[in-house]
């Protein structure tokens, strides 16, 4: 099992460009999450999806959109990137009734 | 969700037991406590979870007093590879997904 995978690993964007971060899990989990982590900080929840076909806003959703394409995949889109979105983005998933989230390796995004 | 407060950093010598205490004064009845470990350039990794009293697994112990306003993660006989950031989280299962809040974590440095 690969667990949670994320692509790309690194990305540099210019202000105003758009891109989609991809996430997939092979653990048959219902819940998936997108977090961002700024330097020296903890993780902050951007969006989550409790099941296929549902998504909800987290703590810092502005400037982002998400798509739960199917049970395996949960993508995060930046429509018009801003320097304030420079961060490391982590995708995670969890099983119903479990207290454990499984995290991907992260995508390091720089917006210039 | 209750906010958590942890020491920003700790140093320990190899082979010693390390105790990291977290304060969560406003924890609610249904909330649980989890701890995660994060190495540089990696996603967080689940260590242990508890609700009250003491929980032990193969890597750590978690002590939670009766009032649940704090918790202590205990790492026995740390090694250099335990150098990482440790996050205390208060979480709640909400409609099938886990609602958690990450604080800024405790940076543990293990010294040879």
């Amino acid at each position: 099992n690969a667990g949670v995978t994320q692509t790309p690993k690194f990305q540099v964007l210019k202000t105003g460009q758009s891109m989609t971060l991809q996430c997939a899990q092979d653990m048959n989990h219902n819940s998936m999450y997108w977090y961002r982590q700024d330097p020296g900080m903890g993780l902050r929840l951007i969006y989550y999806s409790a099941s296929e076909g549902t998504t909800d806003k987290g703590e810092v959703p502005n400037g982002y959109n998400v798509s739960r394409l199917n049970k395996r995949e949960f993508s995060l889109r930046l429509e018009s990137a801003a320097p304030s979105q420079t961060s490391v983005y982590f995708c995670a998933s969890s099983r119903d009734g479990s207290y454990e989230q499984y995290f991907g390796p992260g995508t390091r995004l720089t917006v210039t | 969700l209750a906010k958590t407060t942890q020491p920003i950093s700790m140093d320990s010598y190899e082979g010693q037991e390390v105790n990291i205490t977290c304060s969560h004064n406003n924890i609610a009845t249904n909330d649980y406590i989890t701890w995660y470990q994060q190495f540089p350039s990696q996603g967080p990794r689940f260590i242990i979870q508890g609700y009250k009293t003491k929980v032990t697994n193969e890597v750590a112990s978690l002590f939670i007093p009766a009032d649940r306003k704090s918790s202590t993660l205990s790492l026995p006989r740390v090694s250099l590879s335990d150098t990482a950031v440790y996050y205390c989280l208060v979480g709640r299962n909400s409609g099938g997904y886990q609602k958690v809040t990450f604080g800024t974590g405790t940076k543990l440095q293990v010294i040879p």
Side-chain angles (χ1 to χ4, degrees):
Chain A
N1 287 350
V4 179
T5 57
Q6 294 183 235
T7 55
K9 285 189 168 51
F10 302 94
Q11 184 71 47
V12 179
L13 292 178
K14 293 188 187 319
T15 298
Q17 288 185 319
S18 62
M19 80 160 295
T20 300
L21 280 63
Q22 306 287 354
C23 173
Q25 52 92 9
D26 62 1
M27 295 173 283
N28 202 37
H29 290 167
N30 277 325
S31 298
M32 297 186 73
Y33 314 78
W34 275 106
Y35 293 89
R36 61 176 287 175
Q37 184 174 35
D38 299 326
M41 304 291 288
L43 281 71
R44 291 184 292 169
L45 183 65
I46 306 171
Y47 270 93
Y48 66 92
S49 170
S51 62
E52 184 180 350
T54 68
T55 61
D56 278 292
K57 296 178 181 178
E59 182 185 354
V60 288
N62 291 345
Y64 305 94
N65 285 304
V66 290
S67 295
R68 183 75 183 267
L69 305 168
N70 47 54
K71 192 170 187 177
R72 288 188 65 247
E73 298 171 290
F74 189 36
S75 62
L76 178 73
R77 182 161 178 84
L78 286 72
E79 291 291 352
S80 179
S84 61
Q85 294 178 304
T86 293
S87 191
V88 181
Y89 291 84
F90 289 101
C91 177
S93 70
S94 67
R95 190 176 69 244
D96 287 355
S98 168
Y99 301 103
E100 179 176 357
Q101 293 189 25
Y102 294 80
F103 285 82
T107 294
R108 189 172 297 273
L109 175 68
T110 302
V111 183
T112 61
Chain B
L1 284 176
K3 287 200 171 182
T4 58
T5 303
Q6 312 172 226
I8 293 173
S9 64
M10 294 179 70
D11 292 338
S12 175
Y13 287 103
E14 253 190 313
Q16 288 191 329
E17 178 185 73
V18 170
N19 295 309
I20 305 174
T21 297
C22 177
S23 168
H24 28 79
N25 288 323
N26 297 320
I27 191 168
T29 304
N30 293 337
D31 293 344
Y32 57 88
I33 298 148
T34 55
W35 286 79
Y36 281 77
Q37 175 192 56
Q38 186 178 29
F39 297 112
S41 302
Q42 293 187 24
R45 185 174 71 100
F46 174 87
I47 301 174
I48 198 165
Q49 172 269 330
Y51 183 79
K52 60 181 178 181
T53 65
K54 178 183 174 182
V55 180
T56 298
N57 63 21
E58 63 275 8
V59 298
S61 295
L62 178 60
F63 299 91
I64 304 170
D67 66 6
R68 305 202 321 126
K69 292 184 185 298
S70 67
S71 59
T72 299
L73 175 73
S74 180
L75 304 172
R77 297 180 300 281
V78 293
S79 64
L80 296 176
S81 61
D82 293 316
T83 293
V85 178
Y86 292 82
Y87 292 98
C88 162
L89 279 66
V90 169
R92 186 180 301 162
N93 281 327
S94 176
Y97 90 101
Q98 296 174 7
K99 187 173 183 179
V100 298
T101 300
F102 280 81
T104 51
T106 297
K107 188 170 185 178
L108 173 66
Q109 181 70 50
V110 179
I111 306 163

